[in-house]
């Protein structure tokens, strides 16, 4: 039997359950994250004597073992600091290493290859005076324990995972209405260029040509004029394209979660993505991708975030992210961040984390993605940012109305003033004055402060590999 004396408490929306041993911990991981992690390292905080689940962090396993030490330190510090900002340091940590075998490998080979990384993680947590109660490797349908010495419950060749839907965690999650979306790999595939897409070369040509036309318009001419013109043209085109996505192609919203019993992509998802791709021309996609590199343009596009408009925007941003072919990989940071924000705003946190994680892979220094990723992982309410964007939209509309009124001839202005006076006399509300509000990135910082947090370390990310980053015109990606 397992010599680890600790039990772990998991909670659903309606009840509390107790997990005993590595088998139930391994089975519970997808329900804690909302998807089946693939090629991931996950740290979960435990609180109190009973080991109540708390915060968690996830990151792709670095390919180079030279990065394991720094990655382990960053992950441990991020989890502990995040829990401390919410009020309580963890009393223990559970580590998960999830990776499928490479060709010619077995699950045990993966476990042995990742053993030094597991030890780095345990050492990094111990340096912060927090013990690792359990460290599991999940590979090829098996789980292995790095901590349990009892071969009767944790044999060296691994233990088969429980059948899907048969564990206490699966039953409790089904009762509470918690669903698992499928694998992280499938979720990320909807946000990356298709490897064998026949239109790749045409899209690359359109992006190259668009760069030579759009970027000079932003920098040439009177200061700010070209940038404003490009912003207005980009948003107008985006609104026109958005109308094509307003009604789901199959009559239903396929962005919802997949059942826990289906780890793969939901039937119809690939068909919907193909239909979305066919709805945007190469030149349109290039103009939108390049235009969204401007920060103010991106912030205004982020206002499409609720209801049918938010669902349609999510499909649009996903389609644009799939069009960021090499060497324009870094340009995907903007549509991926917008996709993450739209998913988070509409209540799909697993999809939001996947999109924001890819945005940080495309550009680790993309501030809006970093702030959103951290806020989403810390469980903040997106309503504060939604409120900021609503006020921004209203303020801009009111300013436009006043600008049009100021541009009228004098006689027309007198008539307008006379009409306004009559309306006020009749009790009609006055037109709202423009209000200066915070930009979205600033609003995220304010939300974190309001939730009892403080600015600190950002979400963990692997060190940048300069050799892996491809070229490409950056345009005005950071505005």
């Amino acid at each position: 039997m397992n010599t680890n004396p600790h039990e772990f408490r998991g909670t659903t929306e309606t009840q509390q359950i107790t997990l005993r041993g590595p088998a139930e911990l391994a089975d519970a991981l997808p329900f804690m994250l909302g998807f089946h992690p693939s090629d991931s390292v996950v740290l979960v905080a435990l609180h109190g004597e009973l080991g109540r689940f708390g915060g968690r962090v996830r990151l792709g396993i670095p390919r180079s073992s030279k990065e394991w030490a720094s990655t382990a330190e960053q992950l441990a510090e991020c989890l502990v600091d995040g829990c401390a900002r919410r009020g309580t340091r963890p009393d223990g940590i559970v580590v998960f290493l999830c990776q499928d075998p490479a060709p010619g490998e077995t699950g045990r080979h993966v476990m042995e290859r990742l053993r030094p990384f597991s030890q780095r993680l345990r050492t990094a947590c111990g340096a912060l005076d927090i013990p690792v109660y359990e460290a599991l490797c999940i590979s090829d349908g098996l789980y292995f324990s790095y901590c349990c010495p009892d071969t009767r419950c944790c044999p060296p060749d691994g233990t088969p995972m429980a059948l899907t839907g048969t564990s206490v965690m699966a039953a409790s999650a089904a009762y509470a209405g918690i669903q698992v979306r499928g694998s992280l790999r499938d979720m990320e595939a909807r946000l990356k260029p298709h490897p064998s897409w026949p239109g790749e070369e045409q899209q690359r040509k359109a992006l190259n040509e668009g760069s030579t036309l759009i970027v000079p318009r932003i920098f040439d001419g009177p200061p700010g004029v070209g940038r404003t013109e490009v912003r207005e043209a980009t948003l107008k085109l985006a609104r026109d394209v958005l109308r094509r996505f307003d009604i789901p192609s199959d009559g239903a919203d396929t962005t919802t979660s997949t059942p826990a019993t289906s780890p793969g992509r939901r039937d119809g998802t690939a068909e919907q993505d193909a239909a979305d791709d066919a709805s945007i021309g190469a030149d349109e996609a290039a103009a939108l991708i390049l235009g969204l590199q401007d920060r103010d343009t991106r912030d205004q596009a982020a206002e499409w975030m609720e209801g049918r408009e938010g669902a349609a925007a999510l499909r649009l941003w996903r389609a644009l992210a799939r069009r960021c072919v090499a060497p324009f990989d870094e340009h995907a940071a903007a549509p991926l961040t917008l996709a993450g924000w739209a998913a988070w705003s509409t209540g799909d946190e697993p999809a939001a984390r996947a999109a924001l994680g890819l945005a940080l892979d495309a550009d680790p220094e993309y501030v809006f993605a970093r702030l959103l990723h951290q806020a989403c992982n810390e469980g903040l309410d997106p309503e504060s940012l939604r409120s900021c964007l609503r006020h921004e939209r209203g303020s801009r509309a009111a300013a436009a109305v006043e600008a049009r009124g100021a541009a009228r001839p004098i006689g027309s202005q007198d008539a307008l003033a006379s009409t306004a006076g009559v309306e006020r006399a009749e009790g009609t509300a006055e037109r709202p004055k423009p209000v200066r509000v915070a930009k979205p990135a600033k609003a995220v910082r304010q939300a974190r402060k309001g939730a009892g947090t403080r600015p600190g370390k950002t979400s963990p990310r692997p060190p940048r590999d300069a050799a892996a980053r491809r070229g490409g015109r950056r345009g005005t990606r950071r505005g």
Side-chain angles (χ1 to χ4, degrees):
M1 61 181 294
N2 187 2
T3 59
N4 188 340
H6 297 281
E7 297 181 349
F8 310 97
R9 293 296 178 104
T11 58
T12 66
E13 296 180 356
T14 57
Q15 61 180 341
Q16 185 180 78
I17 61 174
T18 300
L19 305 178
R20 297 179 175 86
E24 294 185 355
L25 274 176
D27 180 76
L29 181 60
F31 299 96
M32 289 189 282
L33 298 177
F35 54 85
H36 293 269
S38 52
D39 194 28
S40 299
V41 50
V42 182
L43 270 62
V44 180
L46 303 174
H47 298 274
E49 295 181 357
L50 297 179
R52 176 178 51 84
F53 287 147
R56 65 215 63 165
V57 293
R58 187 209 67 83
L59 190 68
I61 296 177
R63 295 182 180 180
S64 173
S65 59
K66 297 179 181 179
E67 301 176 3
W68 287 354
S70 60
T71 300
E73 294 174 0
Q74 291 178 25
L75 283 169
E77 291 176 2
C78 179
L79 179 61
V80 174
D81 289 349
C83 292
R85 284 195 296 267
R86 289 190 295 271
T88 307
R89 279 171 54 91
D91 297 298
I93 290 177
V94 177
V95 174
F96 298 88
L97 294 172
C98 308
Q99 191 173 73
D100 293 332
E105 276 191 325
T106 64
R108 182 169 183 177
H109 290 155
V110 175
M111 183 269 294
E112 294 295 346
R113 177 165 50 81
L114 296 178
R115 184 183 292 276
F117 188 26
S118 169
Q119 187 59 39
R120 294 282 189 182
L121 291 164
R122 297 171 66 182
T123 302
C125 295
L128 300 175
D129 296 327
I130 299 177
V132 172
Y133 289 152
E134 185 62 87
L136 299 177
C137 176
I138 301 175
S139 179
D140 198 23
L142 305 170
Y143 72 84
F144 305 82
S145 174
Y146 291 114
C147 297
C148 179
D150 195 334
T151 58
R152 291 173 295 177
C153 67
C154 299
D157 292 331
T159 305
M161 299 283 292
L163 293 176
T164 302
T166 61
S167 66
V168 61
M169 187 68 179
S172 300
Y175 179 78
I178 298 175
Q179 294 179 322
V180 178
R181 295 189 57 85
S183 72
L184 177 63
R185 183 180 296 105
D186 291 334
M187 294 171 64
E188 292 181 340
R190 304 189 69 186
L191 300 162
K192 296 179 178 179
H194 299 300
S196 57
W197 181 47
E200 179 178 351
E201 187 57 38
Q202 182 183 5
Q203 186 61 65
R204 184 180 294 108
K205 180 181 178 181
L207 285 166
N208 278 315
E209 293 177 351
S211 296
T212 62
L213 296 174
I214 294 176
V215 175
R217 287 181 59 192
I218 295 176
F219 293 105
D220 295 344
V225 175
R227 182 179 176 185
T228 301
E229 292 176 350
V230 171
R231 180 185 309 126
E232 292 175 352
T234 301
L235 292 173
K236 182 181 183 301
L237 176 60
R239 292 188 190 96
D240 293 339
V241 176
L242 194 65
R243 297 189 186 97
R244 307 172 196 172
F245 297 88
D246 192 28
I247 300 176
S249 57
D250 59 354
D253 182 7
T254 59
T255 62
T256 55
S257 300
T258 57
T261 56
S262 177
R265 293 179 66 176
R266 175 177 175 172
D267 293 339
T269 296
E271 289 77 3
Q272 185 193 71
D273 290 346
D276 291 346
D277 291 336
S279 300
I280 308 179
D283 292 336
E284 291 176 323
L288 291 173
I289 291 170
L290 295 170
L292 288 173
Q293 305 310 306
D294 176 68
R295 182 180 60 188
D296 292 338
T297 306
R298 178 208 65 197
D299 290 349
Q300 291 190 35
E303 295 170 2
W304 305 326
M305 56 187 175
E306 297 176 283
R308 287 176 53 181
E309 186 180 54
L314 176 57
R315 293 170 57 188
L316 173 58
W317 309 140
R318 279 198 303 241
L320 292 180
R322 292 193 292 268
R323 297 297 187 96
C324 294
V325 298
F328 294 89
D329 313 69
E330 287 188 356
H331 288 67
L336 285 169
T337 301
L338 290 172
W341 162 237
W344 186 33
S345 178
T346 53
D348 192 349
E349 290 189 8
R353 294 190 186 98
L356 293 171
L358 288 178
L360 292 173
D361 289 341
D363 183 1
E365 302 302 325
Y366 204 72
V367 176
F368 194 27
R370 289 167 58 187
L371 292 172
L372 285 174
H373 193 245
Q374 187 165 356
C376 183
N377 285 333
E378 291 183 357
L380 299 184
D381 188 353
E383 177 56 29
S384 58
L385 181 53
R386 282 197 297 260
S387 177
C388 165
L389 292 172
R390 291 190 203 104
H391 281 88
E392 180 74 13
R393 176 187 288 181
S395 175
R396 192 170 55 254
V401 171
E402 289 201 352
R404 286 196 298 270
R408 292 174 181 268
I410 296 178
S412 299
Q413 290 181 358
D414 292 341
L416 183 63
S418 244
T419 304
V422 172
E423 290 177 350
R424 287 194 294 271
E426 292 176 353
T428 306
E430 296 185 29
R431 183 173 60 249
K433 299 292 185 182
V435 179
R436 292 181 60 85
V437 296
K439 292 294 183 181
K442 185 177 179 180
V444 177
R445 294 190 182 97
Q446 293 174 343
R448 294 180 64 244
K449 289 181 180 179
T453 62
R454 58 173 176 78
K457 295 183 181 295
T458 59
S459 300
R461 58 183 185 274
R464 302 182 70 177
D465 186 356
R469 298 183 59 177
R470 303 188 181 107
R473 300 195 63 170
R474 298 169 67 87
T476 56
R477 184 169 50 77
R478 294 189 178 88

